[in-house]
Amino acid sequence: MVKIAPSILSADFANLEREIGRISDADYVHVDVMDGVFVPNITIGIPVVRCIRPVTKLPLDVHLMIVRPVRYVEAFCDAGADIVTVHVESDTPDEIRAALDKIHARGGRAGIVLSPGTPAQAAEPFLEHVDMILAMTVEPGFGGQSFMADMMPKVAALRAMIDARNPGCELEVDGGVDPVTCRACIQAGANVLVAGSAVYTAPDTPARIRELRG
Ligand code: DX5
Ligand code: ZN
């Protein structure tokens, strides 16, 4: 079954425990970490991951939109992240490999993220070393943007690469996913869907999570 990872970027940060409680029917809690340098926005970091760890049984899926993530991945694992994903654009290939290795050494699941302008082939050198590949369907930086349907061939290409070389790897999409656009993502081969505004603006959160499963 398709997994749903609501992004708490769209939650009420003054009431995070309650907001995470609303998504207990989901599969992962998606945590968007932005540094104001890799992306033009600043969000939350290690102390918030540490504080939310005890309030949910769901795995924490931490999406790092920061420069040189190798500096911080161990701290995120120690704070309670279960999955840590790093952008391939955020450092050299060697340093990205080093970041993935550090996450694994801490017992975490490691992933890479591809921004919209980055081709599927950029995942090639990392394919055997990741547990998740995240394909962005908006430019990283902000919630509530429009879904980029033109990313679907790239998602399909990543699905083919994963099936051929690392079938246990998850394929996640992030940005503009709603009860309509989720279908194209699933059709293209994604098995984890991130959704921020579509989940947190819904009057009935469990019903919305069910809808997003396609
Ligand atoms: C964007 C973030 C996304 C975003 C998704 O940089 O990585 O996780 O919060 O929000 P929606 O679902 O509203 O596009
Ligand atoms: Zn994200």
Side-chain angles (χ1 to χ4, degrees), residues 92-135:
T92 63
D94 283 352
E95 293 294 295
I96 296 298
R97 264 303 299 279
L100 300 173
D101 290 347
K102 283 186 173 188
I103 297 162
H104 283 143
R106 281 290 205 272
R109 293 157 67 188
I112 51 166
V113 192
L114 274 52
S115 285
T118 303
Q121 290 68 33
E124 284 272 354
F126 307 105
L127 254 182
E128 278 85 11
H129 308 282
V130 287
D131 308 291
M132 177 182 274
I133 297 177
L134 167 50

Side-chain angles (χ1 to χ4, degrees), residues 15-139:
N15 295 286
L16 262 189
E17 182 171 8
R18 183 193 71 200
E19 294 283 77
I20 291 171
R22 283 172 67 190
I23 59 167
S24 58
D25 290 344
D27 300 279
Y28 299 140
V29 179
H30 187 81
V31 181
D32 286 306
V33 177
M34 306 187 190
D35 67 353
V37 180
F38 182 71
V39 289
N41 194 10
I42 300 176
T43 56
I44 55 175
I46 294 154
V48 175
V49 171
R50 190 179 300 119
C51 287
I52 64 177
R53 177 62 289 172
V55 309
T56 179
K57 292 193 185 70
L58 296 178
L60 302 181
D61 168 29
V62 177
H63 174 192
L64 298 183
M65 287 161 274
I66 67 177
V67 292
R68 305 208 52 238
V70 68
R71 298 173 295 158
Y72 293 106
V73 290
E74 289 161 314
F76 277 100
C77 291
D78 293 347
D82 298 277
I83 306 165
V84 179
T85 60
V86 298
H87 273 262
V88 296
E89 308 87 5
S90 64
D91 210 333
T92 63
D94 283 352
E95 293 294 295
I96 296 298
R97 264 303 299 279
L100 300 173
D101 290 347
K102 283 186 173 188
I103 297 162
H104 283 143
R106 281 290 205 272
R109 293 157 67 188
I112 51 166
V113 192
L114 274 52
S115 285
T118 303
Q121 290 68 33
E124 284 272 354
F126 307 105
L127 254 182
E128 278 85 11
H129 308 282
V130 287
D131 308 291
M132 177 182 274
I133 297 177
L134 167 50
M136 294 303 299
T137 41
V138 297
E139 288 297 340

Side-chain angles (χ1 to χ4, degrees), residues 156-169:
L158 289 166
R159 169 48 66 197
M161 289 161 64
I162 287 171
D163 285 350
R165 289 172 52 187
N166 184 2
C169 179

